[in-house]
Amino acid sequence: MPSHRTFGCTEGGTAETMMVPLADMANHDFNRPTRWDYNDKKSGFTVRVVRAVGSNAMLTDTYGNKGNDSFLPVYGFCVESNNWNQARFAMPLANVYGLEIPNLRRLHVSKCAYDYNDGKHKYIDASCDTQASGSSRGGKELFSYTRAILLTANELQSLNMEGKSHLSPVSASNERKVLKLIEEVSTRALKRFSTTYEEDSEILKDEKRAPRYSWYRNAILARSGEKSTFIAYQNLAKIMIPLLQCGSVMKLKSHPEYKKLLQASKKENFSYHAVRYIENVVEPLLSSDKP
């Protein structure tokens, strides 16, 4: 079945996968003006326009919060400025201290997470959004899994891991090690590319060399999107490791890097996600008794 042209709906209280001719011809737009669902009262699939659109305007849908690494092989296109780009992180297969972690396999698996190991590494896909997971393809699974493989014996003893499908922040010390390992994995991954992110950006500026919608340009967009994600995690580690050493929320909020991120968070994607990481991870850890 061509699953990339189907719609997941609820019909009569039952989840269904539907093929809907005409509706499946809509082009992708993250900022779509439409919403769709199955209407039980009308016994049919409905598409609604939820904001004003101009005459003769194209009605678009979203194909989901996906990176260009997903759009290109599945749909055959890339988005020029894609904030949902992902990278594939090659993580250790087990706890680095040799501890047996209950439910380790469950900590990185969601409906849309990549689940594969080659006997040497566990590969996990993540976007720059460290708080998102599942269909939003964020970094929640990456952090959850990495926290587990960096648990010390004392930390593991203090946790109840039975039945867990997500491991929340454990301690400031554990989180610093998590960021450091993700930074190291990102650095190794970037070294395997034959070009740098900056070189890719220069290629994309030249539309004679890389014409819009060409396969060559799409390949560069997908490749540079992966690199930009690795770079974002490198930068996240460089900023957050010192912030996790502040010792208190008061010291954190007086830190110049914190103030800089806060000011940029409304207009810059990296800063927005960095501030969310501070709010959801750094501040709670500094407020707790977990050094």
Side-chain angles (χ1 to χ4, degrees):
M1 176 181 285
S3 59
H4 61 290
R5 289 292 182 182
T6 60
F7 297 82
C9 301
T10 300
E11 180 182 2
T14 303
E16 303 284 0
T17 300
M18 301 181 178
M19 297 185 69
V20 187
L22 188 59
D24 64 8
M25 296 178 67
N27 285 331
H28 164 78
D29 184 356
F30 286 124
N31 190 30
R32 58 176 174 158
T34 62
R35 299 293 185 272
W36 50 260
D37 57 20
Y38 185 86
N39 190 309
D40 285 321
K41 291 182 179 179
K42 296 182 178 181
S43 298
F45 185 90
T46 60
V47 178
R48 297 171 289 114
V49 175
V50 295
R51 66 168 186 267
V53 294
S55 60
N56 299 317
M58 180 187 296
L59 294 183
T60 55
D61 186 21
T62 176
Y63 296 179
N65 296 332
K66 298 180 176 71
N68 285 332
D69 64 314
S70 296
F71 282 139
L72 184 56
V74 178
Y75 300 103
F77 68 86
C78 285
V79 176
E80 288 286 328
S81 297
N82 191 339
N83 290 331
W84 294 99
N85 279 319
Q86 293 175 265
R88 183 159 293 169
F89 293 80
M91 308 306 293
L93 285 172
N95 180 275
V96 299
Y97 303 112
L99 303 176
E100 187 69 32
I101 308 295
N103 293 324
L104 183 61
R105 275 192 53 81
R106 293 186 61 192
L107 293 177
H108 64 278
V109 176
S110 71
K111 183 178 179 181
C112 297
Y114 185 76
D115 180 21
Y116 174 73
N117 79 72
D118 59 3
K120 297 179 181 178
H121 300 98
K122 170 61 65 180
Y123 295 94
I124 305 174
D125 289 355
S127 73
C128 295
D129 187 350
T130 63
Q131 304 307 301
S133 64
S135 60
S136 293
R137 293 169 167 79
K140 189 173 182 179
E141 286 88 3
L142 174 64
F143 273 83
S144 180
Y145 179 82
T146 309
R147 287 170 189 143
I149 61 173
L150 290 170
L151 287 173
T152 63
N154 286 340
E155 287 170 336
L156 179 59
Q157 191 174 11
S158 69
L159 297 171
N160 178 13
M161 295 291 293
E162 293 299 329
K164 278 187 178 291
S165 59
H166 170 67
L167 183 58
S168 299
V170 176
S171 67
S173 173
N174 176 268
E175 199 71 15
R176 288 194 297 269
K177 289 187 285 186
V178 166
L179 288 162
K180 187 63 179 174
L181 178 56
I182 293 174
E183 180 188 17
E184 291 170 355
V185 168
S186 298
T187 300
R188 287 197 294 270
L190 286 166
K191 287 180 179 179
R192 290 197 292 269
F193 288 102
S194 59
T195 60
T196 65
Y197 174 75
E198 291 73 20
E199 288 170 332
D200 285 350
S201 298
E202 287 302 312
I203 293 171
L204 292 170
K205 287 178 185 176
D206 185 352
E207 293 195 21
K208 289 185 178 178
R209 181 179 178 186
R212 293 263 173 169
Y213 314 116
S214 66
W215 280 107
Y216 177 66
R217 185 179 187 85
N218 282 340
I220 301 298
L221 283 168
R223 182 175 72 185
S224 64
E226 187 175 5
K227 292 175 188 174
S228 69
T229 306
F230 283 130
I231 292 168
Y233 275 94
Q234 285 180 318
N235 292 334
L236 188 74
K238 289 171 185 173
I239 294 170
M240 296 303 159
I241 290 174
L243 294 184
L244 282 161
Q245 294 171 322
C246 284
S248 71
V249 175
M250 185 179 295
K251 289 181 181 178
L252 165 71
K253 292 190 174 181
S254 65
H255 197 288
E257 199 64 54
Y258 172 83
K259 294 179 179 178
K260 190 192 304 182
L261 286 172
L262 211 58
Q263 290 173 352
S265 63
K266 293 182 180 179
K267 56 185 178 181
E268 204 235 23
N269 192 54
F270 171 78
S271 297
Y272 169 75
H273 291 306
V275 168
R276 288 188 69 210
Y277 180 82
I278 290 173
E279 293 171 346
N280 288 278
V281 178
V282 180
E283 285 189 26
L285 286 174
L286 293 180
S287 301
S288 71
D289 297 324
K290 300 173 182 178

